[in-house]
Amino acid sequence: MDRERLKQVLRELRERYKEEWNESEDDVLRKLKDFAEIMLSRNKLSSEDIEQLKKIWDEIPINFRRLFNIFFPFDESERIRMYNDETIRKLMQIAKETNNENFEENLEKITELMGNVTIRNVGVATLSSFVAVANPDMFMPTTEMSISSNLRDYIGIDRFIGGQSNVQKYEEFMKTVKEVANEIGINSMLEVAFYLSKYSSGDNMEERIQQILESVEISDEDLESVKRTIYDVKNEILDRIDELREKEWENGWDILNKLHRVPYLRFTEMRKAFREHENLPNLPKILADFVSELKNAKNLDDIRKLLENTASKLKNIQHMSTTQLLHLAHVIRSDLFIPVTQWQISNAIRFIYDSSENLHGASLDRILDIFNIINELRDLIKKIPILSQLPRDERLIKFSLILYKYGERIISSNRFNRFLEIIGRKFLERCAEVSENQLGGATNYYRLLYLPSDFDETVRRYIHLEWLFRGEKLCVGIHIEVTGDPNKNDRILNTILRDHQSKFEEIARDVGGELEILRDLRVYRWIHISKPYSELNEDLEEWAVKAMTKLYNEIVPIIRERQAEIKRIIEESTEVGGKGNENKIDIILKNKIDQILNSKKQIILYGPPGTGKTWTAQNYVMGETNNKKFYEFVTFHPSYSYEEFVEGLKPIPAEATTSGLKFIVEDGIFKRIAIKAICEALKSANNNLANIANELLNSLKEIENGNLNEYDRYLINKRELWNRIKELSKEDINELFENAPKFYLVIDEINRGDISRIFGELITLLEADKRLGEDNQIIVTLPYSKEPFGVPPNLFIIGTMNTADRSIALIDIALRRRFGFIELMPSYKVLINELGIGNVNNEEEAIRKIESWEINELSEENSNDVKKLAVKVLYSINEKIKRVYDRDHQIGHSYFLKLKDYETRDETIKTLKYIWFHEIIPLLQEYFYDSPEKLKDVLSEEFVIVDENSYEFKQMEDFSNDNEFLNDLKGLIMSRGERSG
C-alpha cells in the first residue's frame, strides 16, 4: 500500500469535509455507543433487544450508516443467531478495550478471531464493521462504501470480501492507516473512513451523474411514451385495487404486462410467483395493500415501515424479490422510487458509486438499504438543472430511462467481464478454503483461478483453472500453458488425465456439462467442461459456480499428488537459459533490456545456440506480465510471410459461415496484438472510444475462438476505431496511451525469416517516434484490407537470433537500425552457480575458477567433480571453436544445466553421456561437416577418427565403462594446447 498517497488523500479530503464531519460526529458516535452497549451488556440478546439495535441503526444518518456492513436478516432465528454469535461479541469486547498502547496486540487477537467466524454471508467487511462500532476511535469498517475501487487502485490495496483469506490484509491495512492517521493528526478511525468514502461520493457522484446525462440522449417521444404507459397502468391499478385484492395473475395483475413498452420494467418473476402460489391467496392481498398504502404515504418514515413490513411478508414467496417490489413501487410512486436493482440500471449505479457491488438480485433483507440509496440519488439529482426543472414524477422516470440506457451500454461492452466478476465472487463465498489471492482478474472472456499458494510456484505459474467463454459455450476447466512448448503441454495433460479421465467424465455428468479435451491447439491444452448458453443469466451463474466447485474439490488433489512429476516436465522446458527454477533474469541483463525497449521499443537477443535467448525473452515477458492476453509468441521460418504476420487473403468454406464460400482479409499475429494493445489503452477513455474498443476486442475474441460469422462486425468496429483515432490530435492520442498496459510479441528465430518480406511497409512504423501519438506518428493504409494502421507505443517486440545460423552482420540494415541488440554468450558463471560447484560473481571469476581445476584432481567417484569436468570440457571446446572457426558457433551453457537435477555419480554420468552423444556431438558435426581436420582439432582423437576426408565418431556403446568415457573427456581437455585469447 502506498502510504504517501494515502496521506495525501486524507489531507485533501479532511480539508474539504472536516466541517461536515464535525456537524455529525457527536450524534453518530453517541448512537454507535448505544448500539455497542446493548450488544455487550446482555448475556443473550432477545428479539426485542435486536429490534432496539435496528431502531438505533436506522437513526444513524445514511452517509455514515452506509460505511458499515451491518445488516439484520429477516429470518428471526437467523437474526438471533447472528447477533448472539460468541465470536462477534468477543471481537467487539476486545475492540472496546483497545487503546493506543495495546492497539497492535489487540489487532492481532481480532485478526485471529476473524478467521474463526463461520456465519453465512459474514466476512471481513461485516466483522470489521462490528469491530468499528465497538471502538470507532481505533478501528474503521473496511467495506465497499468506505474504500472505493478507485481508491483501492490508487493506493494499492485489495478488496476485503470473503473469509479467512482476507484477514491478513485487514491487519496490515489497519496498522498502516492508523499510523498515517496519527501522523496527520486524525484521532478517530471512523473519521478516516468518512473522509475516504468521499473519494467516490459527493461531488464525484454528481460529476458521474452529469457524465451519464451528457452521454445518453432521450428523445421527447421516447420519454412521453414511457411516461404515458406508466401513468395509464398506474391509474388502472388504482381504479381496480379492490378487485385486484382478490385476483390472481390472469385477468387481474397481468395488467402489469402492459408495461412491456417501458424497457426497464419487467414483471416476469412476479408472474411466476402467482402461478406457483395459486393456492396462496395472500399474495394479491399483500400487493394490493402495499399499493394502497404507498399511494397515500406522506413521509419517508411511513414508506420505510411499509417497505419493511411488505418485504417481510414476501420473503418466503419464491420469485418475489426486491426488484419486483421496487418495479411496482416505481409505477405507483414514480416521484419517489427508482428501480435501482434492475440489471441495466444497477450497472449504471455501480458507475455512479464507483463500487463493485451490484444491487441487482439484492435480497428483501436489504430493502431499507436500497431505499436509502434511492433517497440519496434523489437528493443528488435535485442539484442537476436538466432534471430538477422537471416535475417530480417525470424527473425520476426520465432518470430511470437514462440509467437503463447507460447500463445497457456498459453491459454490451463488458457483459462477459461483469458475469465473470459475479461468478468469481459467488465462488469465493461458497468455497471457504479458496483464498481471494487465487482469483485472477476478470477479462472480457476468461477468468483464471490459480492453484493454492502451497503448491510449487513452477506448477502454479503454468497450470490454472479457469472460466472461459468459447464460441457459444461457457467452459469451466484446466488451462495448461508452458509457453511455446506444445509437446510439454501434451505430457502435462496426459499426466493429469492418467487414471482419472473417468473422474472428469463423472463431474461433467453430475453438473450437466460436456467434457472436452482439447489437444489440437497451437500451444495451449485445455480440459473443459462446457455448457451451451443463449443468455447470461442467474442459472448460468449457478452452473459455473457449481461446476468449478466440484472441479476444484475433486481435481486439485490429483494435481497436488502429481505436481512433482509435472514440475519435472515443465522445467525441462523452462530451465534452458540459465537461471533454473527461479526463472529470474539476471538483474543487469534485465536492466539492459528495459533500457533498450524503453528507447527503441524492440530488441534482438542474439548468440550461439544454447545461451538462453528464448528463455530470456519468455521469462522477461512473464516477469512483466502474468496475463496471457498481453503477450504472443511466434517463430519465423523461411516460408513465413507478410500474409501470416500482418494480413492476407484467406478463403472461408461455406460450412463455416451463413453466407457461403467467401474470401476475407485475415489479420496476422502482429496486426492482432497491435489492435489489442490499442483497444486496451482506449478502454480507459471516458468517451465512446472505450465502447468501440470493447466491442472490437469482443469481436476479435469471437473470431479467434472460431466464430467467423463475427467477421463483418469486426471489420465495422475496426474502421470505426481508426476513423475515431484519425480525428484525434497526436497529443490526445499520446495522453490515451500514458498508462496503457504493455503488450509483448516474442519472435523466436527472427533471422530465419525473410524480414523485409514479412514486415513489409511496417518496418518504418516500428520506430519509436513513428508510433501512434509520437512526434512523427505515421498511419499507413494496408495493401490488402485498405484499412488504416499504426503501431501503438505500448507494443514491444523481442526477437531471438541464433548466430550459428546467420551472422548479425548479414541482417538487413533497415532491421538493424530499428532494433537494439544484446549478445548472449555461453555463461560459465551460470553453470558453476546452478550446478552447485561454486559461487562466482562474473564471467572472469568463473573462467579463473575453471582454469584452477586440475584435471588429475577431479575424482571420477564424486558427482560434483563430474560436473566440474563437464564445465571444463565445455570451456575447452569453446576455446577451440573460437580458434578454428569463430565465436558465433560456440556451444551454450544450457545444454549442461540438466546435470543440476542429479546428485549421485551414476545419474550424473548417465545424463552427461546423453548430453554429449545426442546433443553436443551432433551439433559439432553440423558445424564442421565439410572440415574433418577442424573437427578433429575440436574433439581430438578420443571421440572422432579422421581418415583422409572422412570421419567416424565413437559411439556411446564403444566405451566399456564410465571411467573410460571420463578419461577420454579429460584427454580432450589435455589436447587443447595453448589457449587463444
PDB file of all heavy atoms in Angstrom, residues 52 174 187 284 305 356 377 410 427 436 471 483-484 511 592 611 616 639 741 753 782 790 806 865 963:
ATOM      1  N   GLN A  52     -34.383  -3.133  19.086  1.00  0.00           N
ATOM      2  CA  GLN A  52     -33.845  -1.881  19.600  1.00  0.00           C
ATOM      3  C   GLN A  52     -32.562  -1.498  18.858  1.00  0.00           C
ATOM      4  O   GLN A  52     -32.331  -0.329  18.521  1.00  0.00           O
ATOM      5  CB  GLN A  52     -33.573  -1.998  21.103  1.00  0.00           C
ATOM      6  CG  GLN A  52     -33.057  -0.729  21.780  1.00  0.00           C
ATOM      7  CD  GLN A  52     -34.058   0.418  21.727  1.00  0.00           C
ATOM      8  OE1 GLN A  52     -35.259   0.207  21.567  1.00  0.00           O
ATOM      9  NE2 GLN A  52     -33.552   1.645  21.837  1.00  0.00           N
ATOM     10  N   MET A 174      -5.098  -2.041   8.552  1.00  0.00           N
ATOM     11  CA  MET A 174      -5.474  -1.286   9.750  1.00  0.00           C
ATOM     12  C   MET A 174      -4.245  -0.660  10.408  1.00  0.00           C
ATOM     13  O   MET A 174      -4.281   0.494  10.859  1.00  0.00           O
ATOM     14  CB  MET A 174      -6.209  -2.212  10.722  1.00  0.00           C
ATOM     15  CG  MET A 174      -7.127  -1.492  11.696  1.00  0.00           C
ATOM     16  SD  MET A 174      -8.435  -0.537  10.881  1.00  0.00           S
ATOM     17  CE  MET A 174      -9.296  -1.809  10.021  1.00  0.00           C
ATOM     18  N   ASN A 187      -7.663  11.633  15.028  1.00  0.00           N
ATOM     19  CA  ASN A 187      -7.729  10.772  16.208  1.00  0.00           C
ATOM     20  C   ASN A 187      -8.793   9.692  16.137  1.00  0.00           C
ATOM     21  O   ASN A 187      -8.841   8.804  16.983  1.00  0.00           O
ATOM     22  CB  ASN A 187      -7.957  11.627  17.462  1.00  0.00           C
ATOM     23  CG  ASN A 187      -6.819  12.610  17.680  1.00  0.00           C
ATOM     24  OD1 ASN A 187      -5.658  12.264  17.466  1.00  0.00           O
ATOM     25  ND2 ASN A 187      -7.156  13.826  18.076  1.00  0.00           N
ATOM     26  N   PRO A 284     -51.940 -11.647  -3.703  1.00  0.00           N
ATOM     27  CA  PRO A 284     -52.609 -10.463  -4.259  1.00  0.00           C
ATOM     28  C   PRO A 284     -53.006  -9.458  -3.179  1.00  0.00           C
ATOM     29  O   PRO A 284     -52.945  -8.237  -3.406  1.00  0.00           O
ATOM     30  CB  PRO A 284     -53.836 -11.031  -4.977  1.00  0.00           C
ATOM     31  CG  PRO A 284     -53.995 -12.422  -4.478  1.00  0.00           C
ATOM     32  CD  PRO A 284     -52.646 -12.895  -4.082  1.00  0.00           C
ATOM     33  N   LYS A 305     -41.369   2.008   6.822  1.00  0.00           N
ATOM     34  CA  LYS A 305     -42.099   0.975   7.568  1.00  0.00           C
ATOM     35  C   LYS A 305     -42.909   0.102   6.631  1.00  0.00           C
ATOM     36  O   LYS A 305     -42.986  -1.119   6.798  1.00  0.00           O
ATOM     37  CB  LYS A 305     -43.007   1.628   8.610  1.00  0.00           C
ATOM     38  CG  LYS A 305     -42.245   2.279   9.766  1.00  0.00           C
ATOM     39  CD  LYS A 305     -43.179   3.038  10.680  1.00  0.00           C
ATOM     40  CE  LYS A 305     -42.386   3.769  11.776  1.00  0.00           C
ATOM     41  NZ  LYS A 305     -43.264   4.629  12.613  1.00  0.00           N
ATOM     42  N   SER A 356     -17.895  -1.942  -6.797  1.00  0.00           N
ATOM     43  CA  SER A 356     -18.014  -3.240  -7.454  1.00  0.00           C
ATOM     44  C   SER A 356     -19.263  -3.984  -6.993  1.00  0.00           C
ATOM     45  O   SER A 356     -19.583  -5.046  -7.504  1.00  0.00           O
ATOM     46  CB  SER A 356     -16.765  -4.085  -7.182  1.00  0.00           C
ATOM     47  OG  SER A 356     -16.585  -4.234  -5.804  1.00  0.00           O
ATOM     48  N   LEU A 377     -29.811   9.313  -4.175  1.00  0.00           N
ATOM     49  CA  LEU A 377     -29.794   9.672  -5.594  1.00  0.00           C
ATOM     50  C   LEU A 377     -30.805  10.775  -5.894  1.00  0.00           C
ATOM     51  O   LEU A 377     -30.531  11.703  -6.672  1.00  0.00           O
ATOM     52  CB  LEU A 377     -30.099   8.433  -6.445  1.00  0.00           C
ATOM     53  CG  LEU A 377     -28.996   7.366  -6.504  1.00  0.00           C
ATOM     54  CD1 LEU A 377     -29.530   6.085  -7.151  1.00  0.00           C
ATOM     55  CD2 LEU A 377     -27.800   7.884  -7.288  1.00  0.00           C
ATOM     56  N   ILE A 410     -22.983  -0.222 -20.854  1.00  0.00           N
ATOM     57  CA  ILE A 410     -21.916  -0.859 -20.074  1.00  0.00           C
ATOM     58  C   ILE A 410     -21.946  -2.363 -20.274  1.00  0.00           C
ATOM     59  O   ILE A 410     -20.915  -2.999 -20.527  1.00  0.00           O
ATOM     60  CB  ILE A 410     -22.072  -0.541 -18.564  1.00  0.00           C
ATOM     61  CG1 ILE A 410     -21.826   0.949 -18.304  1.00  0.00           C
ATOM     62  CG2 ILE A 410     -21.121  -1.393 -17.735  1.00  0.00           C
ATOM     63  CD1 ILE A 410     -22.132   1.366 -16.882  1.00  0.00           C
ATOM     64  N   PHE A 427     -18.230 -17.825  -6.157  1.00  0.00           N
ATOM     65  CA  PHE A 427     -17.378 -18.980  -5.889  1.00  0.00           C
ATOM     66  C   PHE A 427     -16.583 -18.781  -4.600  1.00  0.00           C
ATOM     67  O   PHE A 427     -16.470 -19.696  -3.787  1.00  0.00           O
ATOM     68  CB  PHE A 427     -16.438 -19.214  -7.069  1.00  0.00           C
ATOM     69  CG  PHE A 427     -15.460 -20.336  -6.848  1.00  0.00           C
ATOM     70  CD1 PHE A 427     -15.868 -21.657  -6.925  1.00  0.00           C
ATOM     71  CD2 PHE A 427     -14.132 -20.067  -6.563  1.00  0.00           C
ATOM     72  CE1 PHE A 427     -14.967 -22.696  -6.706  1.00  0.00           C
ATOM     73  CE2 PHE A 427     -13.226 -21.091  -6.346  1.00  0.00           C
ATOM     74  CZ  PHE A 427     -13.651 -22.415  -6.423  1.00  0.00           C
ATOM     75  N   GLU A 436      -8.770 -15.394  -1.740  1.00  0.00           N
ATOM     76  CA  GLU A 436      -9.062 -14.393  -2.773  1.00  0.00           C
ATOM     77  C   GLU A 436      -7.854 -14.174  -3.678  1.00  0.00           C
ATOM     78  O   GLU A 436      -7.993 -13.833  -4.844  1.00  0.00           O
ATOM     79  CB  GLU A 436      -9.477 -13.067  -2.129  1.00  0.00           C
ATOM     80  CG  GLU A 436      -9.985 -12.061  -3.156  1.00  0.00           C
ATOM     81  CD  GLU A 436     -10.225 -10.693  -2.554  1.00  0.00           C
ATOM     82  OE1 GLU A 436     -10.122 -10.547  -1.332  1.00  0.00           O
ATOM     83  OE2 GLU A 436     -10.503  -9.777  -3.323  1.00  0.00           O
ATOM     84  N   GLY A 471     -16.769 -19.510 -28.131  1.00  0.00           N
ATOM     85  CA  GLY A 471     -17.884 -19.601 -29.046  1.00  0.00           C
ATOM     86  C   GLY A 471     -19.188 -19.354 -28.306  1.00  0.00           C
ATOM     87  O   GLY A 471     -19.337 -18.372 -27.591  1.00  0.00           O
ATOM     88  N   THR A 483       4.726 -21.905 -22.080  1.00  0.00           N
ATOM     89  CA  THR A 483       4.756 -21.015 -23.230  1.00  0.00           C
ATOM     90  C   THR A 483       5.658 -21.558 -24.336  1.00  0.00           C
ATOM     91  O   THR A 483       6.822 -21.829 -24.131  1.00  0.00           O
ATOM     92  CB  THR A 483       5.247 -19.624 -22.807  1.00  0.00           C
ATOM     93  OG1 THR A 483       4.472 -19.202 -21.710  1.00  0.00           O
ATOM     94  CG2 THR A 483       5.114 -18.629 -23.939  1.00  0.00           C
ATOM     95  N   GLY A 484       5.069 -21.664 -25.529  1.00  0.00           N
ATOM     96  CA  GLY A 484       5.850 -22.015 -26.707  1.00  0.00           C
ATOM     97  C   GLY A 484       6.200 -23.480 -26.829  1.00  0.00           C
ATOM     98  O   GLY A 484       6.936 -23.856 -27.732  1.00  0.00           O
ATOM     99  N   VAL A 511     -22.760 -32.250 -13.334  1.00  0.00           N
ATOM    100  CA  VAL A 511     -23.144 -30.827 -13.444  1.00  0.00           C
ATOM    101  C   VAL A 511     -23.920 -30.536 -14.727  1.00  0.00           C
ATOM    102  O   VAL A 511     -24.308 -29.394 -14.980  1.00  0.00           O
ATOM    103  CB  VAL A 511     -21.914 -29.903 -13.364  1.00  0.00           C
ATOM    104  CG1 VAL A 511     -21.190 -30.096 -12.056  1.00  0.00           C
ATOM    105  CG2 VAL A 511     -20.972 -30.097 -14.545  1.00  0.00           C
ATOM    106  N   LYS A 592      19.367  -3.890 -18.947  1.00  0.00           N
ATOM    107  CA  LYS A 592      19.751  -3.595 -20.326  1.00  0.00           C
ATOM    108  C   LYS A 592      18.542  -3.711 -21.261  1.00  0.00           C
ATOM    109  O   LYS A 592      18.322  -2.873 -22.132  1.00  0.00           O
ATOM    110  CB  LYS A 592      20.845  -4.564 -20.789  1.00  0.00           C
ATOM    111  CG  LYS A 592      22.232  -4.286 -20.251  1.00  0.00           C
ATOM    112  CD  LYS A 592      23.213  -5.301 -20.851  1.00  0.00           C
ATOM    113  CE  LYS A 592      24.611  -5.112 -20.290  1.00  0.00           C
ATOM    114  NZ  LYS A 592      25.538  -6.135 -20.823  1.00  0.00           N
ATOM    115  N   THR A 611      22.371 -20.523 -25.411  1.00  0.00           N
ATOM    116  CA  THR A 611      22.805 -19.467 -24.487  1.00  0.00           C
ATOM    117  C   THR A 611      21.620 -18.786 -23.789  1.00  0.00           C
ATOM    118  O   THR A 611      21.808 -17.798 -23.085  1.00  0.00           O
ATOM    119  CB  THR A 611      23.649 -18.406 -25.221  1.00  0.00           C
ATOM    120  OG1 THR A 611      22.948 -17.955 -26.378  1.00  0.00           O
ATOM    121  CG2 THR A 611      24.988 -18.985 -25.636  1.00  0.00           C
ATOM    122  N   THR A 616      15.317 -16.258 -22.023  1.00  0.00           N
ATOM    123  CA  THR A 616      15.380 -14.883 -21.521  1.00  0.00           C
ATOM    124  C   THR A 616      14.191 -14.072 -22.023  1.00  0.00           C
ATOM    125  O   THR A 616      13.554 -13.338 -21.257  1.00  0.00           O
ATOM    126  CB  THR A 616      16.699 -14.215 -21.961  1.00  0.00           C
ATOM    127  OG1 THR A 616      17.795 -14.957 -21.440  1.00  0.00           O
ATOM    128  CG2 THR A 616      16.777 -12.784 -21.462  1.00  0.00           C
ATOM    129  N   SER A 639       9.609 -19.944 -44.904  1.00  0.00           N
ATOM    130  CA  SER A 639       8.386 -19.757 -45.684  1.00  0.00           C
ATOM    131  C   SER A 639       7.381 -18.815 -45.008  1.00  0.00           C
ATOM    132  O   SER A 639       6.283 -18.613 -45.511  1.00  0.00           O
ATOM    133  CB  SER A 639       7.723 -21.115 -45.937  1.00  0.00           C
ATOM    134  OG  SER A 639       7.372 -21.730 -44.711  1.00  0.00           O
ATOM    135  N   PRO A 741      -1.504  -0.595 -20.587  1.00  0.00           N
ATOM    136  CA  PRO A 741      -0.760  -1.825 -20.269  1.00  0.00           C
ATOM    137  C   PRO A 741       0.199  -2.177 -21.404  1.00  0.00           C
ATOM    138  O   PRO A 741      -0.070  -1.892 -22.564  1.00  0.00           O
ATOM    139  CB  PRO A 741      -1.867  -2.879 -20.127  1.00  0.00           C
ATOM    140  CG  PRO A 741      -3.014  -2.345 -20.902  1.00  0.00           C
ATOM    141  CD  PRO A 741      -2.939  -0.853 -20.782  1.00  0.00           C
ATOM    142  N   GLY A 753      13.550 -15.934 -41.003  1.00  0.00           N
ATOM    143  CA  GLY A 753      12.554 -15.480 -41.965  1.00  0.00           C
ATOM    144  C   GLY A 753      13.126 -14.395 -42.858  1.00  0.00           C
ATOM    145  O   GLY A 753      14.149 -13.786 -42.557  1.00  0.00           O
ATOM    146  N   LEU A 782      -3.084  -0.232 -45.323  1.00  0.00           N
ATOM    147  CA  LEU A 782      -2.563  -1.564 -45.601  1.00  0.00           C
ATOM    148  C   LEU A 782      -3.010  -2.055 -46.978  1.00  0.00           C
ATOM    149  O   LEU A 782      -4.125  -1.725 -47.434  1.00  0.00           O
ATOM    150  CB  LEU A 782      -3.014  -2.538 -44.517  1.00  0.00           C
ATOM    151  CG  LEU A 782      -2.481  -2.218 -43.111  1.00  0.00           C
ATOM    152  CD1 LEU A 782      -3.069  -3.179 -42.093  1.00  0.00           C
ATOM    153  CD2 LEU A 782      -0.955  -2.272 -43.071  1.00  0.00           C
ATOM    154  N   GLY A 790      -1.550   1.842 -37.576  1.00  0.00           N
ATOM    155  CA  GLY A 790      -0.374   2.409 -36.946  1.00  0.00           C
ATOM    156  C   GLY A 790       0.050   1.498 -35.804  1.00  0.00           C
ATOM    157  O   GLY A 790      -0.759   0.710 -35.292  1.00  0.00           O
ATOM    158  N   ARG A 806      23.103 -17.636 -38.777  1.00  0.00           N
ATOM    159  CA  ARG A 806      23.315 -16.469 -39.620  1.00  0.00           C
ATOM    160  C   ARG A 806      23.952 -15.369 -38.800  1.00  0.00           C
ATOM    161  O   ARG A 806      23.471 -15.023 -37.738  1.00  0.00           O
ATOM    162  CB  ARG A 806      21.955 -15.996 -40.168  1.00  0.00           C
ATOM    163  CG  ARG A 806      22.038 -14.907 -41.200  1.00  0.00           C
ATOM    164  CD  ARG A 806      20.633 -14.614 -41.685  1.00  0.00           C
ATOM    165  NE  ARG A 806      20.621 -13.570 -42.680  1.00  0.00           N
ATOM    166  CZ  ARG A 806      19.529 -12.979 -43.133  1.00  0.00           C
ATOM    167  NH1 ARG A 806      18.359 -13.353 -42.664  1.00  0.00           N
ATOM    168  NH2 ARG A 806      19.584 -12.033 -44.053  1.00  0.00           N
ATOM    169  N   ASP A 865      32.588 -33.476  -8.938  1.00  0.00           N
ATOM    170  CA  ASP A 865      33.775 -33.446  -9.790  1.00  0.00           C
ATOM    171  C   ASP A 865      33.424 -33.800 -11.233  1.00  0.00           C
ATOM    172  O   ASP A 865      34.025 -33.291 -12.179  1.00  0.00           O
ATOM    173  CB  ASP A 865      34.831 -34.408  -9.247  1.00  0.00           C
ATOM    174  CG  ASP A 865      35.631 -33.785  -8.100  1.00  0.00           C
ATOM    175  OD1 ASP A 865      35.358 -32.600  -7.785  1.00  0.00           O
ATOM    176  OD2 ASP A 865      36.487 -34.462  -7.518  1.00  0.00           O
ATOM    177  N   ASN A 963      34.356 -44.941 -16.562  1.00  0.00           N
ATOM    178  CA  ASN A 963      35.676 -44.361 -16.333  1.00  0.00           C
ATOM    179  C   ASN A 963      36.413 -44.107 -17.641  1.00  0.00           C
ATOM    180  O   ASN A 963      37.140 -43.114 -17.784  1.00  0.00           O
ATOM    181  CB  ASN A 963      36.512 -45.281 -15.434  1.00  0.00           C
ATOM    182  CG  ASN A 963      36.029 -45.245 -13.991  1.00  0.00           C
ATOM    183  OD1 ASN A 963      35.350 -44.294 -13.587  1.00  0.00           O
ATOM    184  ND2 ASN A 963      36.365 -46.268 -13.213  1.00  0.00           N
TER     185      ASN A 963
END
